[in-house]
Amino acid sequence: MQNSQCAIGVNTVDQIFSKWQLAVLSLFRFITGLLLFQYGVAKIFKFPVLPYFANVSPLIWTAGMLELVFGALLLVGLLTRPVALILSGEMAFAYFMGHMFKTGEPVFLPLANGGTAAILFCFACLYLATSGGGPLSLDAMLHKKGLIRPRTST
């Protein structure tokens, strides 16, 4: 009797959470875009004033522009898949160039090289590149209005 009650409880929780899956995907996209956007604002506009973004190199400035523009596109869910794929690549590059090899010697452990956020952003954006922006996005709105073609399954 107790096993069937447990199974019923698990099924109920699964049904409750799966009902919100697409809305949470949209929220995940929005928050990921917002966090990347804030890095772009800090690197390009120096707001807020942070010592490690005070005098950025051209490479970091370029990364900031990507994060500013593409983070904004993720915020609104426009061109989500290609934007997220580019950002995923940028974050992988940031991890290897800016964290793993920043001392010259490879430091692979993210806790030791400060690269945890870069790895999380890399895989968050990779997920968004495969899943899309969700129903609360400009991509979804344009698709509903017939302004963009749906993706075809292969």
Side-chain angles (χ1 to χ4, degrees):
M1 183 81 170
Q2 194 166 1
N3 284 340
S4 65
Q5 286 177 340
C6 184
I8 290 171
V10 169
N11 287 338
T12 303
V13 169
D14 189 48
Q15 289 172 350
I16 290 169
F17 282 117
S18 66
K19 179 171 64 172
W20 293 100
Q21 183 177 5
L22 293 176
V24 171
L25 171 61
S26 295
L27 179 63
F28 179 71
R29 184 212 73 243
F30 179 84
I31 295 299
T32 302
L34 180 64
L35 292 173
L36 286 165
F37 182 77
Q38 79 167 350
Y39 276 96
V41 168
K43 291 173 185 173
I44 302 303
F45 298 117
K46 312 293 187 227
F47 179 80
V49 176
L50 300 170
Y52 44 90
F53 294 144
N55 190 19
V56 297
S57 68
L59 184 63
I60 300 300
W61 187 88
T62 303
M65 285 303 293
L66 286 171
E67 293 156 5
L68 183 72
V69 174
F70 289 171
L73 289 173
L74 276 187
L75 268 168
V76 297
L78 183 62
L79 304 171
T80 301
R81 290 176 192 271
V83 162
L85 185 63
I86 292 167
L87 285 169
S88 178
E90 181 215 351
M91 290 295 111
F93 184 81
Y95 176 73
F96 287 108
M97 295 301 293
H99 296 282
M100 188 173 168
F101 293 106
K102 72 178 169 186
T103 62
E105 293 293 319
V107 179
F108 186 74
L109 187 65
L111 285 174
N113 68 24
T116 302
I119 291 173
L120 278 171
F121 279 128
C122 176
F123 284 95
C125 289
L126 185 61
Y127 175 70
L128 290 171
T130 61
S131 65
L136 304 173
S137 66
L138 285 180
D139 288 337
M141 183 188 78
L142 293 172
H143 172 68
K144 280 183 187 175
K145 291 186 179 222
L147 298 173
I148 59 173
R149 289 181 293 183
R151 87 188 142 105
T152 57
S153 49
T154 54

